[in-house]
């Protein structure tokens, strides 16, 4: 049973509004032949489209077997049209390159019916409409009446509950029209047939019910139906549409093969377009990747650095005096030219120290640690370095105590030490002699520039790697630091140099195996362990000058393992890491945690507070 309740449909075109249906209500029986009459523009076709689910009403309700369609989704409408509705149009809408049998089978194909069942059911319905002898013909080989019969057979093959016919005899002669009407009358014996027509004589002869429309409203109904309340909620189950992937693929291939030339040309033209777009995208992506790689590689070796303090050292190299000796560069005060026997002072240091700036790194770190900060869109990694120097010793203390970091050269290069005097004044300016350096936390940025020659990259805080210079080489200074060369020789050469004696240099180059290097015994000493508490004076005493205590401290210290040998990648020219021993960044975290937990630091902090 089909009900339309207060259906309204309005069309708007270029500011003009036309009401096709105006509050129309009608109920159809499950099996009857209803003819809808009316002049052009009365809303006949609109009514048929709304019943068939081809159009939607602006307001009102379509009820099918007691179930409202207000909540129907697109999938529900597809199922309704494919399984419960059959369409017969004035223009037959047959597929010209398919046979009559294939045209009728199409509705079953969309419903996922097997091939054997499709053929059987299509033959049965073609026999019912009197076309069993023409099923192998193409539509162009049939008359108008025969093509309309094919359209009716196609509409009936899925056994719909409702058959909609829009002017089914409009393009046929009178004799053929009578044949089609007799066929529709027979069909109406077991289902609902709704026909739109302008021919009142045909409607009165064949239809069991005639509904007249005018201006979107029903003005006459020859057999009005008001259903009893007991029939309003039957809720008949809906058959679902389902087409298998193989069937859809076969149907698509069949349609493509009907126009081989057009298909080939379309595919060829499409291929050219796709290849062209793909080539442009590939080129653009390649250029972008290359630029990104160059940027990342450059910033890996020359990162942007923010330090706690900054100073304009160019003030030391620039004469800020007034060439005419008339104006102070700092105050702008007019001065007189000094006479003979006077030396004029230039405020060089004052100018330099005026450029000293201090950055609030603690607040900056809080700002940068916020992952929602927009700055993370433009960086790959943010690294933090601290004023920490891991205290590393050679594990063998049988002959002497040898400190690997900071080693003897690093101490001598410290400007505050003053050990080398004026002879090293040029060295002490911006020169780093340390063999030990931290790895970045984001190692993905540097790994493409290196290859592992032996072992692996560090994974724990007490692990490190030896980074080689290009050509798989390292300096003798690194070998002295690691104890593979006798550290006493290095100490003696430095002593001779500072005493302005001839320096006796070792002769010949040495080679060392990877296993020898990775077997070096390095010990990690906590800086706070240098100090012991003297209860007599209630102070902490530095015990580094006590050799026996220092040996004991080294012997029980934790070992720092060299777990890999890393060489530069021959495919890259960049080397972000300094040659030497590079330790895990987690080592800094470990040392800070240990220092914070020590009694010495706690005592210092309590006195400071």
């Amino acid at each position: 049973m089909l009900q339309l309740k207060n259906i309204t449909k309005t069309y708007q075109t270029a500011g003009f509004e036309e009401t096709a249906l105006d509050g129309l209500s009608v109920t159809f029986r499950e099996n009857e032949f209803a003819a809808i009459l009316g002049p052009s523009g009365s809303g006949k076709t609109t009514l048929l489209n709304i019943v068939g689910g081809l159009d939607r009403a602006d307001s009102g309700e379509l009820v099918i077997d007691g179930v409202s369609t207000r909540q129907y989704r697109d999938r529900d409408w597809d199922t309704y049209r494919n399984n419960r509705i059959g369409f017969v149009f004035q223009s037959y809408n047959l597929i010209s390159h398919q046979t009559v049998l294939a045209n009728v089978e199409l509705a079953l194909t969309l419903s996922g019916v097997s091939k054997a069942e499709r053929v059987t059911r299509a033959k049965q319905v073609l026999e019912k409409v009197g076309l069993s002898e023409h099923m192998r013909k193409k539509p162009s080989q049939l008359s108008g009446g025969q093509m309309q019969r094919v359209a009716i057979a196609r509409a009936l093959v899925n056994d719909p509950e409702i058959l909609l016919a829009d002017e089914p005899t409009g393009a046929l002669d009178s004799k053929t029209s009578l044949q089609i009407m007799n066929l529709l009358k027979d069909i109406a014996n077991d289902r609902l047939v709704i026909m739109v027509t302008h021919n009142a004589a045909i409607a009165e002869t064949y239809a069991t019910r005639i509904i007249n429309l005018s201006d979107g409203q029903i003005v006459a109904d020859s057999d009005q139906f008001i259903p009893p309340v007991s029939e309003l909620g039957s809720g008949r189950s809906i058959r679902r549409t389902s087409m298998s992937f193989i069937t859809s693929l076969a149907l698509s291939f069949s349609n493509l093969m009907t126009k081989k030339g057009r298909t080939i040309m379309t595919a060829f033209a499409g291929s050219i377009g796709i290849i062209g777009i793909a080539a442009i995208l590939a080129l653009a992506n390649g250029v972008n990747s290359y630029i990104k790689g160059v940027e990342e590689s450059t910033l890996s070796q020359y990162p942007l650095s923010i330090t706690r303090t900054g100073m304009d050292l160019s003030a030391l190299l620039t004469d800020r005096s007034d060439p005419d000796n008339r104006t102070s560069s700092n105050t702008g005060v007019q001065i007189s030219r000094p006479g003979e026997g006077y030396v004029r002072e230039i405020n060089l240091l004052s100018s330099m120290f005026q450029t000293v700036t201090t950055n609030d790194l603690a607040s900056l770190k809080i700002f940068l640690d916020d992952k929602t900060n927009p700055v993370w869109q433009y960086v790959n990694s943010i690294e933090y370095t601290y004023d920490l120097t891991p205290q590393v010793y050679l594990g063998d203390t049988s002959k002497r105590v040898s400190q690997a970091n900071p080693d003897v050269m690093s101490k001598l290069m410290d400007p505050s030490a003053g050990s080398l005097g004026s002879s090293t004044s040029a060295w002490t300016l911006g020169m780093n002699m340390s063999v030990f350096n931290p790895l970045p936390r984001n190692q993905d940025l540097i790994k493409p520039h290196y290859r592992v020659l032996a072992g692996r990259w560090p994974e724990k805080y007490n692990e490190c790697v030896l980074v080689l210079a290009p050509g798989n080489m390292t300096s003798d200074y690194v070998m002295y630091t690691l104890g593979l060369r006798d550290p006493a020789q290095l100490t003696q050469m430095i002593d001779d140099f500072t005493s302005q004696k001839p320096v006796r240099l070792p002769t010949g180059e040495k080679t060392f195996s990877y296993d020898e290097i990775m077997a070096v015994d390095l010990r990690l000493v906590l800086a706070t362990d240098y100090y012991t508490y003297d209860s007599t004076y209630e102070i902490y005493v530095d015990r580094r000058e006590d050799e026996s205590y220092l040996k004991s401290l080294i012997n029980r210290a934790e070992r720092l393992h060299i777990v890999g040998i890393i060489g530069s990648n021959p495919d890259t020219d960049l080397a972000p890491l300094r040659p030497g021993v590079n330790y895990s960044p987690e080592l800094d975290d470990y040392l800070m945690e240990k220092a914070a937990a020590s009694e010495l630091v706690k005592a210092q902090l309590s006195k400071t507070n």
Side-chain angles (χ1 to χ4, degrees), residues 61-134:
E61 183 178 19
L62 176 64
V63 181
I64 305 165
D65 288 333
V67 178
S68 175
T69 60
R70 284 180 176 174
Q71 304 301 322
Y72 267 28
R73 297 171 297 179
D74 289 342
R75 178 178 175 82
D76 298 320
W77 283 113
D78 292 341
T79 301
Y80 169 70
R81 286 190 295 266
N82 196 52
N83 293 299
R84 307 189 73 166
I85 297 291
F87 294 93
V88 179
F89 301 99
Q90 181 177 351
S91 55
Y92 319 116
N93 294 327
L94 301 178
I95 301 175
S96 60
H97 63 269
Q98 299 275 18
T99 64
V100 169
L101 183 62
N103 271 276
V104 176
E105 282 185 42
L106 184 60
L108 296 174
T109 302
L110 297 175
S111 298
V113 178
S114 64
K115 176 65 176 177
E117 186 179 351
R118 291 202 304 265
V119 173
T120 300
R121 287 170 59 176
K123 287 182 178 179
Q124 289 174 351
V125 74
L126 284 171
E127 184 176 354
K128 184 176 181 179
V129 299
L131 291 176
S132 57
E133 297 179 355
H134 303 282

Side-chain angles (χ1 to χ4, degrees), residues 298-538:
T298 303
L299 287 176
S300 296
Q301 188 161 7
Y302 306 105
L304 301 176
S305 300
I306 301 176
T307 58
R308 181 178 297 277
T309 58
M311 179 184 294
D312 184 9
L313 295 179
S314 63
L316 293 173
L317 307 175
T318 304
D319 182 3
R320 296 174 179 262
S321 61
D322 184 358
D324 295 330
N325 295 322
R326 297 191 178 277
T327 305
S328 171
S329 60
N330 295 324
T331 64
V333 177
Q334 290 288 332
I335 60 174
S336 59
R337 183 186 299 273
E340 293 293 333
Y342 294 90
V343 177
R344 182 184 170 196
E345 178 187 75
I346 300 174
N347 296 327
L348 193 62
L349 291 179
S350 299
S351 300
M352 183 186 72
F353 284 113
Q354 284 178 353
T355 66
V356 174
T357 57
T358 302
N359 297 313
D360 184 1
L361 296 185
S363 299
L364 180 62
K365 186 175 187 300
I366 295 174
F367 172 77
L368 295 176
D369 284 345
D370 182 6
K371 295 298 182 179
T372 63
N373 196 301
V375 73
W376 284 97
Q377 302 176 19
Y378 308 104
V379 300
N380 285 329
S381 178
I382 297 178
E383 304 284 341
Y384 303 105
T385 57
Y386 303 93
D387 294 331
L388 284 175
T389 303
Q391 303 294 309
V392 183
Y393 290 82
L394 298 182
D396 184 6
T397 59
S398 58
K399 295 182 180 179
R400 67 183 66 84
V401 173
S402 298
Q403 188 167 8
N405 188 61
D407 61 5
V408 61
M409 285 294 290
S410 296
K411 293 177 181 178
L412 292 174
M413 301 315 267
D414 183 0
S416 63
S419 301
L420 300 184
S422 59
S423 61
T424 58
S425 59
W427 295 11
T428 60
L429 187 59
M431 194 169 185
N432 183 8
M433 293 295 293
S434 177
V435 170
F436 287 77
N437 296 285
L439 288 167
R441 292 185 184 273
N442 185 358
Q443 296 179 16
D444 292 336
L445 297 176
I446 62 170
K447 285 183 178 179
H449 304 296
Y450 293 91
R451 53 177 178 167
V452 178
L453 303 176
R456 56 178 172 80
W457 288 92
E459 298 174 356
K460 300 177 182 179
Y461 73 92
N462 60 346
E463 295 179 344
C464 56
V465 292
L466 178 65
V467 178
L468 303 179
N472 293 349
M473 296 186 295
T474 190
S475 69
D476 54 353
Y477 177 54
V478 173
M479 296 296 102
Y480 281 120
T481 302
L482 296 180
L484 295 174
R485 280 180 174 268
D486 187 359
Q489 292 181 352
L490 177 60
T491 304
Q492 183 62 49
M493 286 189 288
I494 293 175
D495 289 343
D496 291 343
F497 176 73
T498 56
S499 301
Q500 298 185 359
K501 296 179 181 179
V503 178
R504 289 169 293 180
L505 301 175
T507 57
E509 295 182 355
K510 289 187 177 182
T511 58
F512 303 91
S513 69
Y514 294 154
D515 291 337
E516 286 182 275
I517 296 173
M518 296 172 66
V520 169
D521 186 5
L522 298 175
R523 299 301 177 96
L524 179 65
V525 173
L526 300 178
T528 54
D529 289 344
Y530 289 139
Y531 301 86
T532 58
Y533 185 69
D534 187 337
S535 58
T536 303
Y537 298 99
E538 295 184 350

Side-chain angles (χ1 to χ4, degrees), residues 525-580:
V525 173
L526 300 178
T528 54
D529 289 344
Y530 289 139
Y531 301 86
T532 58
Y533 185 69
D534 187 337
S535 58
T536 303
Y537 298 99
E538 295 184 350
I539 60 172
Y540 283 88
V541 179
D542 188 351
R543 303 284 300 276
R544 275 177 285 190
E545 299 300 327
D546 186 342
E547 186 172 353
S548 61
Y549 174 79
L550 196 55
K551 285 184 178 181
S552 173
L553 189 62
I554 295 170
N555 291 335
R556 65 174 185 269
E558 185 174 8
R559 184 170 178 182
L560 185 63
H561 302 274
I562 299 178
V563 297
I565 310 294
I566 309 298
S568 59
N569 193 329
D571 296 332
T572 179
D573 296 329
L574 296 177
L577 301 178
R578 288 181 179 175

